[in-house]
Amino acid sequence: CIVNYRSEAYVKQCVESIYDNTGQSLQYEMIIVDNASTDSSCSIVSDNFPFVKLIQNPKNLGFARANNQGLRIAQGEFILLLNNDTFVFGDSLEKLVAFLRENPTAGAVGPCLLNSDGATIQVQGSGRGEKFWLATRPTEVQFLTGAALMIRREVLADVGELDENFFFYNEDLDWCKRIIDKQWKIYYLPQSRIIHYGGQSTKLNNIKTFVEGYRGGLYYCAKHHPGVFVLYRILIILLAALAGLWYLLRLILWADKRRSALYLKGYAAIFKIALFWK
């Protein structure tokens, strides 16, 4: 299940890498959910990959909601959420499937993500765990990024879909917590390797995704850690106020007008969200 947004070059490469490198031993379907791309993404997919199930949304519904569209029609025993800016090596998908089949208590598994050079290891996430991405053997973890995350169908039935209150960012953190809360284990499998170029879709809509990252963080804290939410909210308000003042000064005193104006707008939106949180 691949969510795409205005990433024609990367989504083509992603699909080709799966088609070229996944062997006959693994039967799979590929679902692409397009969030109203204005480039040639959809025509490239439909013209070159007729085997792909393509869902075209009339507007950008966000990462969680679009993935859920794919989850609802997926037929497989295992379901892989995969970013459009990834490149699958060799038998990486077969290794993920084999691990889940051999480890019945594992509810989800994710690969080692490599940077665009195809060699250096990419840091995964939220600061939870102790640099698990450097492990050389399968390792139980508390969190994996949704850039490449495979789950069992039973887990989807048990835990439910991604929380659509997240537009972009933090939905994977929330999903992993809910998986663990249901007594399933999550594993990092370094023997499976996938390149993740990172942020190709979010670069196109930088301020919105920047703001949504903070909003999602607030929502996650309110949902799972209500005891510290008030303090967290106050810290976000203070951060947004100070950062907003800094970018206002930059806008007045320095030449970097466009960047300063964008971030001033972003921190003003974050301040408003946190101040008037419901």
Side-chain angles (χ1 to χ4, degrees):
C1 181
I2 301 167
V3 174
N4 182 67
Y5 177 65
R6 293 167 56 189
S7 191
E8 55 189 15
Y10 285 95
V11 74
K12 184 175 188 292
Q13 178 179 268
C14 177
V15 174
E16 287 176 338
S17 74
I18 297 169
Y19 184 76
D20 293 342
N21 293 312
T22 304
Q24 296 289 328
S25 63
L26 186 64
Q27 292 184 318
Y28 63 92
E29 63 178 350
M30 206 180 306
I31 302 165
I32 293 179
V33 184
D34 185 83
N35 266 334
S37 295
T38 54
D39 60 7
S40 301
S41 295
C42 291
S43 59
I44 286 173
V45 171
S46 58
D47 292 347
N48 294 280
F49 311 111
F51 55 86
V52 170
K53 296 178 182 178
L54 177 63
I55 299 173
Q56 295 179 250
N57 289 324
K59 64 179 182 178
N60 188 347
L61 300 181
F63 187 76
R65 192 171 170 188
N67 261 311
N68 284 343
Q69 290 177 282
L71 292 175
R72 288 168 198 150
I73 67 169
Q75 301 295 308
E77 177 186 3
F78 306 106
I79 303 170
L80 174 69
L81 301 190
L82 188 66
N83 274 20
N84 58 355
D85 57 348
T86 54
F87 186 94
V88 175
F89 282 120
D91 60 350
S92 291
L93 300 188
E94 285 95 334
K95 286 177 178 176
L96 294 175
V97 168
F99 184 85
L100 287 178
R101 284 182 173 154
E102 293 164 7
N103 296 272
T105 62
V109 62
C112 171
L113 296 178
L114 301 176
N115 292 311
S116 58
D117 59 12
T120 56
I121 297 174
Q122 194 170 102
V123 173
Q124 291 197 44
S126 66
R128 301 180 67 172
E130 298 180 359
K131 297 185 178 180
F132 65 81
W133 51 87
L134 299 178
T136 57
R137 62 182 64 185
T139 302
E140 186 178 350
V141 297
Q142 298 296 304
F143 166 79
L144 288 172
T145 175
L149 180 62
M150 182 177 285
I151 68 167
R152 298 179 184 276
R153 175 163 294 282
E154 302 98 294
V155 171
L156 179 60
D158 194 17
V159 174
E161 300 172 346
L162 293 166
D163 186 337
E164 295 182 3
N165 288 298
F166 297 101
F167 181 83
F168 197 91
Y169 295 136
N170 298 290
E171 70 288 314
D172 45 8
L173 182 62
D174 172 76
W175 216 26
C176 286
K177 186 177 190 314
R178 287 158 52 203
I179 289 170
I180 291 171
D181 287 347
K182 288 287 188 175
Q183 308 305 311
W184 292 97
K185 295 179 180 180
I186 301 174
Y187 285 90
Y188 169 69
L189 185 65
Q191 287 70 34
S192 173
R193 297 195 156 204
I194 293 176
I195 291 177
H196 179 221
Y197 293 95
Q200 299 307 312
S201 293
T202 59
K203 288 177 183 176
L204 299 169
N205 204 11
N206 184 272
I207 291 300
K208 181 174 177 57
T209 53
F210 171 71
V211 172
E212 283 298 326
Y214 278 95
R215 192 190 68 80
L218 282 161
Y219 174 68
Y220 179 88
C221 187
K223 180 178 180 179
H224 295 293
H225 306 288
V228 298
F229 174 68
V230 172
L231 176 60
Y232 181 69
R233 181 182 167 194
I234 291 171
L235 290 174
I236 295 298
I237 290 171
L238 291 173
L239 170 66
L242 291 173
L245 286 173
W246 167 247
Y247 280 104
L248 179 60
L249 286 174
R250 286 178 60 91
L251 184 63
I252 295 170
L253 301 175
W254 286 287
D256 190 9
K257 302 290 187 182
R258 182 176 180 275
R259 178 181 173 84
S260 297
L262 283 172
Y263 276 94
L264 176 59
K265 181 180 178 181
Y267 279 112
I270 293 164
F271 180 86
K272 183 177 179 182
I273 288 169
L275 186 65
F276 299 106
W277 185 268
K278 294 182 180 179

PDB file of all heavy atoms in Angstrom, residues 165-187:
ATOM      1  N   ASN A 165      -7.241  11.169  12.634  1.00  0.00           N
ATOM      2  CA  ASN A 165      -7.046  12.484  13.237  1.00  0.00           C
ATOM      3  C   ASN A 165      -5.636  13.004  12.991  1.00  0.00           C
ATOM      4  O   ASN A 165      -5.371  14.192  13.185  1.00  0.00           O
ATOM      5  CB  ASN A 165      -7.320  12.441  14.740  1.00  0.00           C
ATOM      6  CG  ASN A 165      -8.806  12.300  15.042  1.00  0.00           C
ATOM      7  OD1 ASN A 165      -9.601  13.163  14.685  1.00  0.00           O
ATOM      8  ND2 ASN A 165      -9.180  11.199  15.668  1.00  0.00           N
ATOM      9  N   PHE A 166      -4.732  12.105  12.591  1.00  0.00           N
ATOM     10  CA  PHE A 166      -3.399  12.512  12.158  1.00  0.00           C
ATOM     11  C   PHE A 166      -3.453  12.744  10.649  1.00  0.00           C
ATOM     12  O   PHE A 166      -3.872  11.860   9.903  1.00  0.00           O
ATOM     13  CB  PHE A 166      -2.369  11.427  12.456  1.00  0.00           C
ATOM     14  CG  PHE A 166      -2.182  11.119  13.919  1.00  0.00           C
ATOM     15  CD1 PHE A 166      -2.785  10.006  14.485  1.00  0.00           C
ATOM     16  CD2 PHE A 166      -1.406  11.941  14.718  1.00  0.00           C
ATOM     17  CE1 PHE A 166      -2.614   9.709  15.821  1.00  0.00           C
ATOM     18  CE2 PHE A 166      -1.226  11.651  16.069  1.00  0.00           C
ATOM     19  CZ  PHE A 166      -1.831  10.535  16.618  1.00  0.00           C
ATOM     20  N   PHE A 167      -3.002  13.902  10.206  1.00  0.00           N
ATOM     21  CA  PHE A 167      -2.952  14.174   8.771  1.00  0.00           C
ATOM     22  C   PHE A 167      -1.651  13.645   8.182  1.00  0.00           C
ATOM     23  O   PHE A 167      -1.637  12.949   7.178  1.00  0.00           O
ATOM     24  CB  PHE A 167      -3.069  15.676   8.504  1.00  0.00           C
ATOM     25  CG  PHE A 167      -3.059  16.032   7.038  1.00  0.00           C
ATOM     26  CD1 PHE A 167      -4.229  15.963   6.287  1.00  0.00           C
ATOM     27  CD2 PHE A 167      -1.888  16.436   6.412  1.00  0.00           C
ATOM     28  CE1 PHE A 167      -4.226  16.276   4.929  1.00  0.00           C
ATOM     29  CE2 PHE A 167      -1.879  16.759   5.059  1.00  0.00           C
ATOM     30  CZ  PHE A 167      -3.049  16.676   4.314  1.00  0.00           C
ATOM     31  N   PHE A 168      -0.565  13.992   8.825  1.00  0.00           N
ATOM     32  CA  PHE A 168       0.759  13.537   8.396  1.00  0.00           C
ATOM     33  C   PHE A 168       1.696  13.651   9.594  1.00  0.00           C
ATOM     34  O   PHE A 168       1.717  14.693  10.251  1.00  0.00           O
ATOM     35  CB  PHE A 168       1.268  14.388   7.228  1.00  0.00           C
ATOM     36  CG  PHE A 168       2.407  13.745   6.478  1.00  0.00           C
ATOM     37  CD1 PHE A 168       2.159  12.937   5.382  1.00  0.00           C
ATOM     38  CD2 PHE A 168       3.718  13.925   6.884  1.00  0.00           C
ATOM     39  CE1 PHE A 168       3.207  12.333   4.691  1.00  0.00           C
ATOM     40  CE2 PHE A 168       4.762  13.330   6.202  1.00  0.00           C
ATOM     41  CZ  PHE A 168       4.502  12.528   5.099  1.00  0.00           C
ATOM     42  N   TYR A 169       2.473  12.620   9.842  1.00  0.00           N
ATOM     43  CA  TYR A 169       3.373  12.485  10.994  1.00  0.00           C
ATOM     44  C   TYR A 169       2.618  12.001  12.239  1.00  0.00           C
ATOM     45  O   TYR A 169       1.467  12.364  12.463  1.00  0.00           O
ATOM     46  CB  TYR A 169       4.102  13.776  11.345  1.00  0.00           C
ATOM     47  CG  TYR A 169       5.069  14.267  10.294  1.00  0.00           C
ATOM     48  CD1 TYR A 169       5.114  15.611   9.951  1.00  0.00           C
ATOM     49  CD2 TYR A 169       5.940  13.401   9.642  1.00  0.00           C
ATOM     50  CE1 TYR A 169       6.008  16.082   8.991  1.00  0.00           C
ATOM     51  CE2 TYR A 169       6.828  13.857   8.684  1.00  0.00           C
ATOM     52  CZ  TYR A 169       6.850  15.196   8.361  1.00  0.00           C
ATOM     53  OH  TYR A 169       7.714  15.652   7.417  1.00  0.00           O
ATOM     54  N   ASN A 170       3.285  11.186  13.023  1.00  0.00           N
ATOM     55  CA  ASN A 170       2.823  10.662  14.317  1.00  0.00           C
ATOM     56  C   ASN A 170       1.796   9.538  14.219  1.00  0.00           C
ATOM     57  O   ASN A 170       1.546   8.856  15.210  1.00  0.00           O
ATOM     58  CB  ASN A 170       2.254  11.782  15.209  1.00  0.00           C
ATOM     59  CG  ASN A 170       3.275  12.836  15.547  1.00  0.00           C
ATOM     60  OD1 ASN A 170       4.195  12.582  16.305  1.00  0.00           O
ATOM     61  ND2 ASN A 170       3.125  14.025  14.975  1.00  0.00           N
ATOM     62  N   GLU A 171       1.203   9.320  13.047  1.00  0.00           N
ATOM     63  CA  GLU A 171       0.240   8.216  12.911  1.00  0.00           C
ATOM     64  C   GLU A 171       0.933   6.867  13.068  1.00  0.00           C
ATOM     65  O   GLU A 171       0.349   5.925  13.604  1.00  0.00           O
ATOM     66  CB  GLU A 171      -0.510   8.291  11.572  1.00  0.00           C
ATOM     67  CG  GLU A 171       0.308   7.990  10.337  1.00  0.00           C
ATOM     68  CD  GLU A 171       1.297   9.088   9.996  1.00  0.00           C
ATOM     69  OE1 GLU A 171       0.910  10.264  10.012  1.00  0.00           O
ATOM     70  OE2 GLU A 171       2.468   8.748   9.720  1.00  0.00           O
ATOM     71  N   ASP A 172       2.202   6.764  12.640  1.00  0.00           N
ATOM     72  CA  ASP A 172       2.930   5.509  12.802  1.00  0.00           C
ATOM     73  C   ASP A 172       3.283   5.272  14.270  1.00  0.00           C
ATOM     74  O   ASP A 172       3.200   4.145  14.773  1.00  0.00           O
ATOM     75  CB  ASP A 172       4.187   5.474  11.923  1.00  0.00           C
ATOM     76  CG  ASP A 172       5.003   6.761  11.981  1.00  0.00           C
ATOM     77  OD1 ASP A 172       4.697   7.649  12.803  1.00  0.00           O
ATOM     78  OD2 ASP A 172       5.951   6.884  11.188  1.00  0.00           O
ATOM     79  N   LEU A 173       3.648   6.334  14.980  1.00  0.00           N
ATOM     80  CA  LEU A 173       3.929   6.229  16.412  1.00  0.00           C
ATOM     81  C   LEU A 173       2.692   5.767  17.168  1.00  0.00           C
ATOM     82  O   LEU A 173       2.753   4.885  18.035  1.00  0.00           O
ATOM     83  CB  LEU A 173       4.397   7.596  16.927  1.00  0.00           C
ATOM     84  CG  LEU A 173       4.785   7.698  18.399  1.00  0.00           C
ATOM     85  CD1 LEU A 173       5.951   6.794  18.720  1.00  0.00           C
ATOM     86  CD2 LEU A 173       5.124   9.152  18.749  1.00  0.00           C
ATOM     87  N   ASP A 174       1.562   6.337  16.827  1.00  0.00           N
ATOM     88  CA  ASP A 174       0.291   5.961  17.452  1.00  0.00           C
ATOM     89  C   ASP A 174      -0.056   4.504  17.148  1.00  0.00           C
ATOM     90  O   ASP A 174      -0.471   3.752  18.042  1.00  0.00           O
ATOM     91  CB  ASP A 174      -0.814   6.884  16.937  1.00  0.00           C
ATOM     92  CG  ASP A 174      -2.205   6.453  17.379  1.00  0.00           C
ATOM     93  OD1 ASP A 174      -2.541   6.675  18.556  1.00  0.00           O
ATOM     94  OD2 ASP A 174      -2.944   5.883  16.547  1.00  0.00           O
ATOM     95  N   TRP A 175       0.103   4.093  15.896  1.00  0.00           N
ATOM     96  CA  TRP A 175      -0.226   2.722  15.490  1.00  0.00           C
ATOM     97  C   TRP A 175       0.651   1.720  16.220  1.00  0.00           C
ATOM     98  O   TRP A 175       0.171   0.701  16.714  1.00  0.00           O
ATOM     99  CB  TRP A 175      -0.065   2.581  13.980  1.00  0.00           C
ATOM    100  CG  TRP A 175      -1.064   1.689  13.323  1.00  0.00           C
ATOM    101  CD1 TRP A 175      -2.332   1.395  13.749  1.00  0.00           C
ATOM    102  CD2 TRP A 175      -0.893   0.980  12.092  1.00  0.00           C
ATOM    103  NE1 TRP A 175      -2.961   0.560  12.862  1.00  0.00           N
ATOM    104  CE2 TRP A 175      -2.105   0.294  11.836  1.00  0.00           C
ATOM    105  CE3 TRP A 175       0.151   0.886  11.182  1.00  0.00           C
ATOM    106  CZ2 TRP A 175      -2.277  -0.499  10.703  1.00  0.00           C
ATOM    107  CZ3 TRP A 175      -0.028   0.107  10.043  1.00  0.00           C
ATOM    108  CH2 TRP A 175      -1.234  -0.586   9.818  1.00  0.00           C
ATOM    109  N   CYS A 176       1.943   2.013  16.305  1.00  0.00           N
ATOM    110  CA  CYS A 176       2.862   1.106  16.999  1.00  0.00           C
ATOM    111  C   CYS A 176       2.486   0.965  18.472  1.00  0.00           C
ATOM    112  O   CYS A 176       2.527  -0.140  19.024  1.00  0.00           O
ATOM    113  CB  CYS A 176       4.305   1.604  16.864  1.00  0.00           C
ATOM    114  SG  CYS A 176       5.013   1.361  15.222  1.00  0.00           S
ATOM    115  N   LYS A 177       2.133   2.063  19.108  1.00  0.00           N
ATOM    116  CA  LYS A 177       1.728   1.987  20.515  1.00  0.00           C
ATOM    117  C   LYS A 177       0.477   1.124  20.671  1.00  0.00           C
ATOM    118  O   LYS A 177       0.383   0.305  21.599  1.00  0.00           O
ATOM    119  CB  LYS A 177       1.482   3.372  21.096  1.00  0.00           C
ATOM    120  CG  LYS A 177       1.195   3.327  22.608  1.00  0.00           C
ATOM    121  CD  LYS A 177       1.018   4.683  23.200  1.00  0.00           C
ATOM    122  CE  LYS A 177       0.981   4.603  24.736  1.00  0.00           C
ATOM    123  NZ  LYS A 177       0.129   3.533  25.272  1.00  0.00           N
ATOM    124  N   ARG A 178      -0.476   1.286  19.775  1.00  0.00           N
ATOM    125  CA  ARG A 178      -1.702   0.500  19.853  1.00  0.00           C
ATOM    126  C   ARG A 178      -1.436  -0.982  19.581  1.00  0.00           C
ATOM    127  O   ARG A 178      -2.068  -1.856  20.193  1.00  0.00           O
ATOM    128  CB  ARG A 178      -2.718   1.055  18.856  1.00  0.00           C
ATOM    129  CG  ARG A 178      -3.306   2.395  19.299  1.00  0.00           C
ATOM    130  CD  ARG A 178      -3.866   3.195  18.131  1.00  0.00           C
ATOM    131  NE  ARG A 178      -4.795   2.412  17.334  1.00  0.00           N
ATOM    132  CZ  ARG A 178      -5.081   2.681  16.058  1.00  0.00           C
ATOM    133  NH1 ARG A 178      -4.483   3.692  15.437  1.00  0.00           N
ATOM    134  NH2 ARG A 178      -5.954   1.945  15.404  1.00  0.00           N
ATOM    135  N   ILE A 179      -0.502  -1.276  18.695  1.00  0.00           N
ATOM    136  CA  ILE A 179      -0.128  -2.673  18.429  1.00  0.00           C
ATOM    137  C   ILE A 179       0.453  -3.307  19.683  1.00  0.00           C
ATOM    138  O   ILE A 179       0.082  -4.419  20.078  1.00  0.00           O
ATOM    139  CB  ILE A 179       0.882  -2.740  17.259  1.00  0.00           C
ATOM    140  CG1 ILE A 179       0.182  -2.399  15.934  1.00  0.00           C
ATOM    141  CG2 ILE A 179       1.523  -4.120  17.165  1.00  0.00           C
ATOM    142  CD1 ILE A 179       1.129  -2.198  14.758  1.00  0.00           C
ATOM    143  N   ILE A 180       1.362  -2.590  20.333  1.00  0.00           N
ATOM    144  CA  ILE A 180       1.993  -3.113  21.550  1.00  0.00           C
ATOM    145  C   ILE A 180       0.982  -3.217  22.686  1.00  0.00           C
ATOM    146  O   ILE A 180       1.003  -4.181  23.471  1.00  0.00           O
ATOM    147  CB  ILE A 180       3.189  -2.231  21.945  1.00  0.00           C
ATOM    148  CG1 ILE A 180       4.315  -2.402  20.907  1.00  0.00           C
ATOM    149  CG2 ILE A 180       3.701  -2.579  23.346  1.00  0.00           C
ATOM    150  CD1 ILE A 180       5.447  -1.427  21.069  1.00  0.00           C
ATOM    151  N   ASP A 181       0.082  -2.252  22.783  1.00  0.00           N
ATOM    152  CA  ASP A 181      -0.950  -2.297  23.827  1.00  0.00           C
ATOM    153  C   ASP A 181      -1.852  -3.521  23.697  1.00  0.00           C
ATOM    154  O   ASP A 181      -2.449  -3.972  24.683  1.00  0.00           O
ATOM    155  CB  ASP A 181      -1.805  -1.028  23.783  1.00  0.00           C
ATOM    156  CG  ASP A 181      -1.073   0.202  24.319  1.00  0.00           C
ATOM    157  OD1 ASP A 181      -0.001   0.023  24.937  1.00  0.00           O
ATOM    158  OD2 ASP A 181      -1.566   1.327  24.108  1.00  0.00           O
ATOM    159  N   LYS A 182      -1.956  -4.057  22.478  1.00  0.00           N
ATOM    160  CA  LYS A 182      -2.742  -5.274  22.244  1.00  0.00           C
ATOM    161  C   LYS A 182      -1.897  -6.541  22.393  1.00  0.00           C
ATOM    162  O   LYS A 182      -2.312  -7.631  21.984  1.00  0.00           O
ATOM    163  CB  LYS A 182      -3.361  -5.228  20.848  1.00  0.00           C
ATOM    164  CG  LYS A 182      -4.514  -4.236  20.704  1.00  0.00           C
ATOM    165  CD  LYS A 182      -5.764  -4.731  21.409  1.00  0.00           C
ATOM    166  CE  LYS A 182      -6.955  -3.843  21.108  1.00  0.00           C
ATOM    167  NZ  LYS A 182      -8.209  -4.375  21.700  1.00  0.00           N
ATOM    168  N   GLN A 183      -0.721  -6.395  22.990  1.00  0.00           N
ATOM    169  CA  GLN A 183       0.172  -7.519  23.321  1.00  0.00           C
ATOM    170  C   GLN A 183       0.853  -8.158  22.108  1.00  0.00           C
ATOM    171  O   GLN A 183       1.313  -9.295  22.167  1.00  0.00           O
ATOM    172  CB  GLN A 183      -0.582  -8.599  24.120  1.00  0.00           C
ATOM    173  CG  GLN A 183      -1.318  -8.084  25.344  1.00  0.00           C
ATOM    174  CD  GLN A 183      -0.415  -7.310  26.298  1.00  0.00           C
ATOM    175  OE1 GLN A 183       0.663  -7.766  26.651  1.00  0.00           O
ATOM    176  NE2 GLN A 183      -0.859  -6.121  26.707  1.00  0.00           N
ATOM    177  N   TRP A 184       0.932  -7.430  21.004  1.00  0.00           N
ATOM    178  CA  TRP A 184       1.734  -7.871  19.877  1.00  0.00           C
ATOM    179  C   TRP A 184       3.136  -7.278  20.006  1.00  0.00           C
ATOM    180  O   TRP A 184       3.313  -6.229  20.611  1.00  0.00           O
ATOM    181  CB  TRP A 184       1.117  -7.415  18.553  1.00  0.00           C
ATOM    182  CG  TRP A 184      -0.177  -8.062  18.209  1.00  0.00           C
ATOM    183  CD1 TRP A 184      -1.434  -7.573  18.420  1.00  0.00           C
ATOM    184  CD2 TRP A 184      -0.359  -9.321  17.561  1.00  0.00           C
ATOM    185  NE1 TRP A 184      -2.387  -8.444  17.954  1.00  0.00           N
ATOM    186  CE2 TRP A 184      -1.746  -9.531  17.409  1.00  0.00           C
ATOM    187  CE3 TRP A 184       0.524 -10.302  17.087  1.00  0.00           C
ATOM    188  CZ2 TRP A 184      -2.276 -10.669  16.818  1.00  0.00           C
ATOM    189  CZ3 TRP A 184      -0.002 -11.430  16.486  1.00  0.00           C
ATOM    190  CH2 TRP A 184      -1.381 -11.616  16.355  1.00  0.00           C
ATOM    191  N   LYS A 185       4.123  -7.937  19.404  1.00  0.00           N
ATOM    192  CA  LYS A 185       5.484  -7.432  19.409  1.00  0.00           C
ATOM    193  C   LYS A 185       5.826  -6.814  18.048  1.00  0.00           C
ATOM    194  O   LYS A 185       5.282  -7.224  17.022  1.00  0.00           O
ATOM    195  CB  LYS A 185       6.479  -8.554  19.737  1.00  0.00           C
ATOM    196  CG  LYS A 185       6.317  -9.114  21.143  1.00  0.00           C
ATOM    197  CD  LYS A 185       7.314 -10.228  21.409  1.00  0.00           C
ATOM    198  CE  LYS A 185       7.156 -10.783  22.825  1.00  0.00           C
ATOM    199  NZ  LYS A 185       8.124 -11.880  23.096  1.00  0.00           N
ATOM    200  N   ILE A 186       6.733  -5.839  18.075  1.00  0.00           N
ATOM    201  CA  ILE A 186       7.205  -5.186  16.859  1.00  0.00           C
ATOM    202  C   ILE A 186       8.707  -5.415  16.744  1.00  0.00           C
ATOM    203  O   ILE A 186       9.442  -5.259  17.729  1.00  0.00           O
ATOM    204  CB  ILE A 186       6.897  -3.682  16.881  1.00  0.00           C
ATOM    205  CG1 ILE A 186       5.387  -3.446  17.013  1.00  0.00           C
ATOM    206  CG2 ILE A 186       7.432  -2.992  15.633  1.00  0.00           C
ATOM    207  CD1 ILE A 186       5.012  -1.979  17.191  1.00  0.00           C
ATOM    208  N   TYR A 187       9.150  -5.782  15.548  1.00  0.00           N
ATOM    209  CA  TYR A 187      10.566  -6.096  15.355  1.00  0.00           C
ATOM    210  C   TYR A 187      11.186  -5.282  14.226  1.00  0.00           C
ATOM    211  O   TYR A 187      10.536  -4.978  13.213  1.00  0.00           O
ATOM    212  CB  TYR A 187      10.744  -7.582  15.031  1.00  0.00           C
ATOM    213  CG  TYR A 187      10.592  -8.494  16.223  1.00  0.00           C
ATOM    214  CD1 TYR A 187       9.353  -9.012  16.563  1.00  0.00           C
ATOM    215  CD2 TYR A 187      11.686  -8.833  17.022  1.00  0.00           C
ATOM    216  CE1 TYR A 187       9.205  -9.843  17.670  1.00  0.00           C
ATOM    217  CE2 TYR A 187      11.550  -9.669  18.120  1.00  0.00           C
ATOM    218  CZ  TYR A 187      10.305 -10.172  18.435  1.00  0.00           C
ATOM    219  OH  TYR A 187      10.155 -11.004  19.527  1.00  0.00           O
TER     220      TYR A 187
END
